Amino acid sequence: MRKLILAFALIAVLIAGGCIGGGGGTTTTTEKTVTVGYSTVHYSGDVSLTEAKNLASFLQNEFDFKNDTDIFLEKSGGKYMVSITSTYRSGNEIEQSVRFYLQFVASRISQDVFGGEPVVLKVISQAKKELLSIESKYKYVQSGEVRVYYRGVTADEAKKVADYLVSIVGESYEWDLIMEKNNQQYDVTAVSGFKSADQITDNMKKAYQSVATELKDMLGGDVILHVVDIGGNELINFKG
């Protein structure tokens, strides 16, 4: 479902081009710049050129920018602050699907660009006003095109889930899931393209139930498989 989420985000013009000028709002004390494609990262002395360039490459690849886009990168209090310019004028304009999707992006920036260091991902206006702030909270593993974002479980457990799901859907199927553990219960959240529970057929329900049952046997604990839409809203769940 990753392409569906990304397409939705881009249609919503999450981040559109244009260099930005003055204005108040979020602090963006930067000294240097590096550009990859249409992504220009403005960064401070506490950030290395390699880190700034890797961030520019990551975001250019992630969003496939077609217009010049400004990103501000700073390090403060042990966290990397990544502020991305958007055409939104207020936080109320940012769709829930975009907010949910950016949780994944923030976590992958942390792991892929900054070696697991915490990241605060911000969406800012052209006047540099902060509209949305999301902190990285997951690590992730990948098998084929299945990504499992996890917290409170081990990397091995998450990888088992990813490998199992790839064996079902194939190497090229893009699917994002969240895996967490509360007490002895595993909560696995599967992002889907469904807009309502009514769209989930009986055969699909049987397939999801089978997955929940297999995951319980694999993990050795109770499993709740939550099926959500691209905004993270639960549609239905299955107990394994």
Side-chain angles (χ1 to χ4, degrees), residues 200-213 236 238:
I200 304 175
T201 67
D202 288 341
N203 284 339
M204 286 299 301
K205 290 177 182 177
K206 289 179 181 178
Y208 279 123
Q209 183 58 64
S210 176
V211 168
T213 301
I236 194 170
F238 302 87

Side-chain angles (χ1 to χ4, degrees), residues 99-201:
R99 294 170 182 268
F100 184 59
Y101 168 68
L102 288 181
Q103 293 181 28
F104 298 147
V105 176
S107 295
R108 284 195 292 111
I109 291 174
S110 169
Q111 185 167 322
D112 293 350
V113 180
F114 300 119
E117 294 296 315
V119 165
V120 178
L121 179 60
K122 299 181 180 183
V123 177
I124 62 175
S125 69
Q126 302 249 340
K128 299 185 184 179
K129 179 182 177 182
E130 181 180 319
L131 307 178
L132 176 66
S133 179
I134 295 176
E135 189 161 353
S136 59
K137 60 180 181 179
Y138 301 112
K139 296 179 181 179
Y140 84 96
V141 296
Q142 183 165 348
S143 184
E145 289 300 320
V146 173
R147 290 177 185 158
V148 176
Y149 296 82
Y150 65 96
R151 181 174 63 171
V153 303
T154 67
D156 286 343
E157 289 175 318
K159 189 63 163 59
K160 283 182 181 179
V161 172
D163 289 344
Y164 164 66
L165 294 174
V166 163
S167 74
I168 296 174
V169 300
E171 292 279 341
S172 61
Y173 187 84
E174 296 185 348
W175 200 4
D176 290 315
L177 302 97
I178 300 171
M179 183 178 177
E180 299 175 283
K181 189 175 184 181
N182 298 297
N183 296 321
Q184 295 304 309
Q185 176 180 293
Y186 294 89
D187 287 284
V188 179
T189 300
V191 183
S192 78
F194 299 118
K195 295 181 179 179
S196 71
D198 294 340
Q199 294 181 327
I200 304 175
T201 67

Side-chain angles (χ1 to χ4, degrees), residues 223-237:
V223 171
I224 302 294
L225 177 61
H226 308 267
V227 180
V228 302
D229 64 16
I230 61 174
N233 303 301
E234 184 167 314
L235 303 175
I236 194 170
N237 65 70

Side-chain angles (χ1 to χ4, degrees), residues 5-18 63 65-69 84-90 93-95 97-99 101-102 123-126 131:
I5 298 170
L6 180 56
F8 194 98
L10 292 178
I11 290 171
V13 198
L14 165 62
I15 301 161
F63 294 106
F65 295 128
K66 302 300 183 184
N67 298 297
D68 294 333
T69 302
I84 309 179
T85 310
S86 76
T87 56
Y88 290 123
R89 292 168 294 181
S90 76
E93 295 179 358
I94 303 177
E95 297 81 355
S97 58
V98 174
R99 294 170 182 268
Y101 168 68
L102 288 181
V123 177
I124 62 175
S125 69
Q126 302 249 340
L131 307 178

Side-chain angles (χ1 to χ4, degrees), residues 20 25-34 40-49 51-53 55-56 59 70-84 109 113-114 117-122 124 128 130:
I20 64 180
T26 187
T27 56
T28 51
T29 305
T30 54
E31 302 166 358
K32 306 172 185 177
T33 64
V34 62
T40 296
V41 172
H42 306 256
Y43 63 103
S44 69
D46 293 334
V47 176
S48 71
L49 170 61
E51 289 173 324
K53 188 174 182 180
L55 177 64
L59 293 175
D70 288 304
I71 300 114
F72 296 88
L73 173 61
E74 298 177 86
K75 191 174 184 180
S76 176
K79 299 178 180 179
Y80 288 89
M81 319 297 284
V82 179
S83 300
I84 309 179
I109 291 174
V113 180
F114 300 119
E117 294 296 315
V119 165
V120 178
L121 179 60
K122 299 181 180 183
I124 62 175
K128 299 185 184 179
E130 181 180 319

